[in-house]
Amino acid sequence: MFNIKSTSEVREMSNQSIGMLIREFRQSRNLTMKEVCDNDLSIAQLSKFERGVSEITINKLLMILDKLNITVEEFFHAEKEFELSEFEQLILDMKEHYINRDVDKILALRDGQSRKYEERNIKFFELNAIMLSALIKDLDEDQYDWEDREPKLIDHLMEVDIWCNYEIVLFANSISLFTVEALVMLTNEMINNTQYYHVIGKHRTITIQTLTNVILILLEKGETFHSKMFHDTLEELLEIDQYMLYEKNVSKYLNGFHHFSTGEEARGIQLMEESIQTFDILDRKQLADNFRAHLNNLQMQK
């Protein structure tokens, strides 16, 4: 027989596990309770919390994590015993199958998310399935048959006031579904609705990577006005982190692509060739070959 716990019992278990984890981190850093506490958190309060006897406010938890020099993401990853979330695992599987160009396995992932949506009626499963369909469209357009569901993805991204990691990942992997107008609109939404998180490296990195893909697609479609505007934003974000050398070099290539597309062909080719040469110097042969092939195609089309 199943032992069904009450809500209070589940909450008590959660509080106890979190408190015990705090104690484990504190002791591993050889910190006493006195060193962690301050005027807003007494030793008695911390002791009771670590033993799972009482709760503390989120502000006090954040203060403790700050004293322990642990990020919120690190803490809750440890609280889940370092297991990936269901969505994180989905993204890992999705990337592996996409790199291997395994359409059948991506179809299986999509059908699994679609079944979960039908069983649980949680919209995020349907959004995940639409995202997976975008990758299927990239690899084999003949197997893409979800045009009628695209508006649901756009509606969700437009309705969310603050984009978190989920929305950025959703958008980044669904770019192929959108018209130029929708792509410009949603990219503006991403820029405006993620500005609170630009100080967080993970969010900034995926925003930068998404911007580079958007700019490339827009330039390939001959859209030079918004691509230049988004490139200016990309450069601003890259100034925050001086160590993103790969992204800076891609940005240089995109700058060259923009010059090439707006009539300054000689300057554009020079910048793109310099970017490719940098990848050669860094021994990133595959990247250099990919960009070299792209440049050759551009010159052949002229």
Side-chain angles (χ1 to χ4, degrees):
M1 180 179 292
F2 292 104
N3 181 18
I4 306 299
K5 293 180 171 61
S6 68
T7 302
S8 61
E9 287 177 309
V10 172
R11 187 182 298 116
E12 182 180 347
M13 286 178 59
S14 178
N15 290 334
Q16 187 175 30
S17 65
I18 292 174
M20 290 175 64
L21 187 57
I22 286 290
R23 180 172 60 188
E24 184 177 336
F25 275 121
R26 177 179 61 78
Q27 292 176 342
S28 72
R29 283 159 168 71
N30 294 317
L31 293 173
T32 65
M33 288 188 181
K34 184 176 180 180
E35 289 173 308
V36 173
C37 295
D38 61 11
N39 294 334
D40 296 321
L41 179 68
S42 69
I43 292 176
Q45 285 177 311
L46 179 57
S47 176
K48 289 180 180 179
F49 177 63
E50 287 188 350
R51 289 182 283 119
V53 175
S54 64
E55 301 178 0
I56 60 172
T57 64
I58 185 64
N59 286 339
K60 289 180 179 178
L61 177 59
L62 294 175
M63 182 274 292
I64 293 171
L65 294 178
D66 187 54
K67 290 284 186 71
L68 297 176
N69 282 323
I70 299 170
T71 67
V72 174
E73 185 177 23
E74 288 171 333
F75 178 75
F76 284 105
H77 186 48
E79 200 273 332
K80 292 186 296 184
E81 297 182 344
F82 303 100
E83 292 183 359
L84 295 176
S85 70
E86 185 176 351
F87 184 66
E88 289 171 331
Q89 187 61 56
L90 174 67
I91 296 301
L92 277 182
D93 293 340
M94 177 188 79
K95 286 181 177 178
E96 178 185 351
H97 302 329
Y98 185 78
I99 290 171
N100 294 329
R101 303 186 66 83
D102 195 330
V103 177
D104 289 339
K105 288 185 177 178
I106 298 177
L107 278 167
L109 287 178
R110 185 194 70 177
D111 293 344
Q113 293 295 303
S114 186
R115 281 194 301 273
K116 288 180 180 179
Y117 171 67
E118 293 170 0
E119 293 166 0
R120 306 185 202 178
N121 197 30
I122 298 174
K123 73 171 183 177
F124 297 113
F125 291 120
E126 184 177 31
L127 295 174
N128 295 345
I130 297 171
M131 174 184 67
L132 289 160
S133 289
L135 301 186
I136 294 168
K137 183 178 181 181
D138 277 346
L139 298 175
D140 186 354
E141 193 158 359
D142 290 339
Q143 297 201 55
Y144 178 70
D145 56 358
W146 277 40
E147 292 90 345
D148 59 321
R149 303 202 191 190
E150 292 174 15
K152 293 186 178 182
L153 180 59
I154 296 176
D155 288 346
H156 172 77
L157 294 174
M158 292 298 296
E159 289 169 358
V160 177
D161 291 330
I162 299 177
W163 285 27
C164 294
N165 183 68
Y166 177 73
E167 280 71 35
I168 306 174
V169 171
L170 202 62
F171 174 56
N173 289 288
S174 305
I175 287 176
S176 65
L177 298 182
F178 308 124
T179 63
V180 169
E181 292 76 14
L183 187 57
V184 169
M185 176 181 65
L186 291 171
T187 303
N188 277 317
E189 286 292 308
M190 178 185 71
I191 293 169
N192 295 329
N193 296 341
T194 61
Q195 56 186 326
Y196 303 104
Y197 293 103
H198 287 169
V199 294
I200 302 175
K202 180 179 179 180
H203 287 73
R204 186 170 63 253
T205 297
I206 191 171
T207 300
I208 287 171
Q209 292 170 345
T210 304
L211 271 176
T212 59
N213 290 333
V214 168
I215 294 165
L216 182 62
I217 289 172
L218 290 178
L219 286 172
E220 287 177 341
K221 294 180 179 295
E223 213 290 4
T224 56
F225 176 77
H226 289 98
S227 60
K228 178 63 170 65
M229 183 176 69
F230 294 147
H231 190 263
D232 291 342
T233 301
L234 174 63
E235 288 289 295
E236 291 173 8
L237 290 174
L238 288 172
E239 281 300 311
I240 299 174
D241 193 338
Q242 297 294 319
Y243 295 98
M244 301 189 74
L245 302 181
Y246 162 77
E247 289 79 4
K248 285 179 180 292
N249 198 44
V250 173
S251 178
K252 183 176 184 176
Y253 184 90
L254 294 174
N255 188 25
F257 191 0
H258 182 269
H259 280 286
F260 185 88
S261 301
T262 53
E264 300 179 66
E265 293 182 21
R267 176 59 176 159
I269 291 172
Q270 178 189 353
L271 289 171
M272 288 187 280
E273 286 181 341
E274 288 176 358
S275 173
I276 293 168
Q277 185 178 21
T278 299
F279 283 126
D280 280 326
I281 293 171
L282 295 174
D283 198 27
R284 303 298 295 272
K285 186 178 184 302
Q286 187 62 56
L287 287 171
D289 288 346
N290 290 343
F291 282 107
R292 190 174 288 112
H294 183 265
L295 175 55
N296 289 338
N297 286 335
L298 289 178
Q299 293 175 298
M300 289 174 61
Q301 291 170 12
K302 280 292 181 178

